[in-house]
Every structure is written in C-alpha cells, then in structure tokens.
Amino acid sequence: MTNEVVVIGAGVIGLSSALELVRAGKRVTVIADRKPAETVSAVAAAIWEPYDAFPRDMVLRWSLDALTTFNELAADPSTGVHLREGVNLQREADKHAWWAGGVVAARPASPDELPDGAISGEVCTLPVITMPVYLEWLLQRCSESGVTFEWRSLASLDEVGHGDCPIVVAAGLRAGELVAGEKLVPVRGQIVRLANPGLTRWYIDEDNPSGTTYIIPRVDDVICGGTNEPGVTVADADPVVAEAILARARRLEPMLEQAEVLADVVGFRPGRESVRLDATEYSDRRVVHCYGHGGAGVTTSWGAARDVVRLVDGKPIENSDSSNFSRSTT
Ligand SMILES: Cc1cc2nc3c(=O)[nH]c(=O)nc-3n(C[C@H](O)[C@H](O)[C@H](O)COP(=O)(O)OP(=O)(O)OC[C@H]3O[C@@H](n4cnc5c(N)ncnc54)[C@H](O)[C@@H]3O)c2cc1C
C-alpha cells in the first residue's frame, strides 16, 4: 500500500495538514494554484478565536488542540506566533464568549480595563498570528520535511494524478470546484491594516452597536475589523466602511488616532453550515474533505489537521454531540 498522500490547497488548512501527514510518516505532495501568500489565509487577522464556524463542540475541540500547539510555537518568534493579553468585551449583562470557559485563566476585566459602553469583559492571553510570517514558516517547514509542491489549477479530482493514493481536499471556499454538490458561501470580511503605534493588547467587541469591532496588534502592524457579510462578493474595499471601522477602533483604542493606515483589505471566509471533515471514495481513491472553517480556519487548523491524518489512515474521528450543533448556542 502506498504511503503517498496528495493535499489540494496551500492555505493554513492545507499546509498544517501536510505537516501533520509528514509527521505521521506520509510522503506528501501539495497541489494548489495560489501560493500561501495569495490565499484567504494570508488575510486573516489572525487571533485564536473560534468565531463563526460550526458545529461548536467540534470547533472547540479542534481549537483547543490547536491552542496547545500555538502556545508552543509562540516560544519561537520566527513562527510569527505571539501570546498577547487582551479583552473580549460584553455590552449586555450575562453574555459571555461561549468559548471562554475552555480557555485556561480567563478572568473578569476590572472597570478600568473597559472602554465606554462595555459593561464587562473577559481578559485572557491568546495567540496572535502574523499570517504572512506564519504561512512562510509553515511553507519552509513543509519544504524542509520533504513535502513537494505543484503550483497548478485543478478542474476536477481526475486531474490530481499520483496513482490511487488518498487525496485531502483543503481547497477552502473553492472546494465546490472539485467536489460535486458542494457549495460554500463567501463571507466577506473587510479590515484595515495600520502601522503599530506600540500596542500589544487586543480587543474583541463583537456586539458593538455600531458594528462588530476588533483590534489585533501584531508585530509591526495592527488589524482593525471588520465586516462579516455572508454571500457578498464585492472584492474592492468600501472607503466608507473603512472609515467606520477606523472610527470604532479609535474609540476603543485612542492610540490608533495617529497610526498610519497601510491598507484596506477584503477577504472571503469559507462559509459552510458546518465544517466538513470526513472521508469518501472517488474512483477507488480515499478522499478526505477538510473545508468550510468560516472565521476560524487558523484557530482550528492543527486540531483539524490531526483529524485529517486519522481519516487518511481510515481511523474514526470523534463526532459531534448533536446537542451542541445549534448556531444559536451562546
Ligand atoms: C478578514 C478576515 C479575518 C479573519 N480572521 C481570522 C482570525 O482572526 N482567526 C481565524 O482563525 N480565522 C480568521 N479568518 C478565517 C480564515 O482566514 C479562514 O478560515 C482560513 O484562511 C481558511 O483556510 P483554508 O486553508 O481552508 O483556505 P484558503 O486559505 O482559501 O486556501 C485554499 C487553497 O486551496 C487552493 N485551491 C482551491 N481550489 C483549487 C483548485 N481548483 N485547484 C488548485 N488549488 C485550489 C488555493 O489555491 C489555496 O492554496 C479570517 C478571514 C478573513 C477574511
């Protein structure tokens, strides 16, 4: 039996899966028509937050698994992963982040840690991932581990080649180009990238009445967001929206007043009713599907990648508890 596996996709899901497969002793080829720096993954803010991805119990399991790995990677700054303290803000009584209980050492914010309008908040230390640096690091680790890359476009799984070895589809939003019946929804996200005036503390203010707001300070820049627009496919940034994002962010963090605006950026999250992570057969080949991570592809990456390895090996993965399937769980 061949030990070879083909992974389609060089975003955070494809590269993390490729590395985990190599660690499990596989010979891996990645096929992708966009290099890591050109993927949606490169646009991500990115903070560890299980945001807008389902089902929640599976997403939390993958995310906590990945959290352990990101915490380890943060020991080496060349990975682009840094641990930063920040505040997840609440604007209504008794409304807490559904995932915060899973994060060790989340504590209630003191009143002097809360900006105007917030009534409470959870303070915790989370991984902040500078995606251009991190994707390059993943790419390097893959290359050093013997992963080979074919930069080409596929119109169908019939074009994959490499005999009858298993295929991992990690094609993000475009999985429907390769898998019959799949239709993912683009979830548009517009963000503003600014020079970092010396911030380290992040803020997430999801229920801001003027629009969801987040401030993610990376090494040299700060990502301020942002929109979450299912089904909207406009690729150009809207300058009015960019101004509104900036105004909200500056109200939360006045140090951003003087920060230079570097770019307005738009990306499309791979939206799906629930993340697809299962195995099927196609032309006598095992096909492992891993896509639809919505707003949490980075957050879930390592946990999902480890389940990809199990599925490639024909092993079962822990399935969802249907009682936690609901989108409305808070
Ligand atoms: C504004 C914004 C902010 C975000 N912030 C965060 C955050 O803070 N934290 C977080 O966890 N997530 C965040 N996300 C979500 C995250 O970016 C995505 O969930 C994640 O990048 C999806 O990764 P992926 O590898 O599945 O897909 P992608 O990164 O899109 O990669 C897909 C790969 O598949 C290849 N491919 C597809 N089809 C074909 C084909 N037919 N032939 C050949 N190759 C193909 C592409 O070339 C590409 O290499 C954010 C997203 C946006 C837009």
Side-chain angles (χ1 to χ4, degrees):
M1 190 174 147
T2 173
N3 214 21
E4 188 177 8
V5 181
V6 169
V7 175
I8 303 171
V12 71
I13 298 297
L15 294 182
S16 309
S17 299
L19 262 186
E20 283 299 313
L21 286 162
V22 167
R23 285 175 184 148
K26 315 289 182 198
R27 197 155 48 85
V28 180
T29 301
V30 171
I31 302 176
D33 57 5
R34 292 196 193 143
K35 295 194 171 169
E38 300 155 1
T39 61
V40 177
S41 299
V43 176
I47 188 165
W48 182 97
E49 189 202 2
Y51 171 70
D52 203 26
F54 307 91
R56 283 182 165 169
D57 55 353
M58 299 288 278
V59 165
L60 191 59
R61 179 167 72 75
W62 294 320
S63 301
L64 292 175
D65 191 353
L67 181 60
T68 307
T69 304
F70 283 125
N71 283 339
E72 288 163 8
L73 292 178
D76 174 3
S78 75
T79 59
V81 181
H82 297 267
L83 299 181
R84 299 243 195 261
E85 187 179 87
V87 197
N88 184 60
L89 300 170
Q90 279 96 42
R91 297 199 174 241
E92 290 169 38
D94 299 325
K95 189 160 187 263
H96 301 285
W98 66 273
W99 47 264
V103 179
V104 182
R107 66 161 171 86
S110 57
D112 62 345
E113 292 178 296
L114 297 173
D116 283 351
I119 60 166
S120 63
E122 284 123 2
V123 178
C124 48
T125 297
L126 295 178
V128 169
I129 302 119
T130 304
M131 290 308 291
V133 176
Y134 180 61
L135 289 169
E136 186 57 33
W137 180 85
L138 281 176
L139 189 62
Q140 286 295 327
R141 288 297 81 69
C142 284
S143 299
E144 285 167 16
S145 311
V147 174
T148 53
F149 289 88
E150 296 177 11
W151 302 114
R152 61 184 170 104
S153 195
L154 297 168
S156 136
L157 294 183
D158 296 324
E159 297 177 2
V160 168
H162 296 265
D164 60 359
C165 76
I167 300 170
V168 177
V169 181
L173 182 58
R174 292 167 55 211
E177 293 175 17
L178 302 167
V179 180
E182 268 305 341
K183 192 153 173 33
L184 281 81
V185 178
V187 181
R188 184 177 182 277
Q190 180 170 335
I191 55 178
V192 183
R193 197 163 72 84
L194 300 100
N196 191 341
L199 300 175
T200 57
R201 175 162 274 224
W202 52 264
Y203 288 96
I204 298 173
D205 187 12
E206 203 174 322
D207 297 328
N208 187 316
S210 308
T212 289
T213 307
Y214 51 90
I215 299 171
I216 313 295
R218 309 196 298 192
V219 178
D220 296 324
D221 59 8
V222 182
I223 302 297
C224 293
T227 67
N228 194 58
E229 306 161 83
V232 178
T233 55
V234 181
D236 290 335
D238 180 334
V240 176
V241 171
E243 271 312 312
I245 291 171
L246 273 179
R248 296 198 302 272
R250 285 171 174 154
R251 271 198 296 277
L252 287 183
E253 177 48 81
M255 268 177 78
L256 290 171
E257 284 296 345
Q258 306 306 327
E260 181 192 357
V261 174
L262 302 175
D264 296 331
V265 184
V266 170
F268 298 95
R269 302 174 181 93
R272 199 174 182 280
E273 191 68 23
S274 62
V275 175
R276 183 161 187 192
L277 190 32
D278 61 10
T280 57
E281 293 287 320
Y282 179 84
S283 297
D284 292 329
R285 301 180 78 156
R286 177 177 291 269
V287 178
V288 173
H289 304 258
C290 188
Y291 41 78
H293 299 78
V298 184
T299 305
T300 52
S301 55
W302 291 108
R306 287 168 192 139
D307 272 356
V308 163
V309 176
R310 286 185 198 101
L311 290 169
V312 164
D313 283 338
K315 294 179 186 158
I317 62 168
E318 201 179 301
N319 273 318
S320 183
D321 168 0
S322 55
S323 64
N324 287 330
F325 245 105
S326 165
R327 280 173 171 268
S328 59
T329 312
T330 51

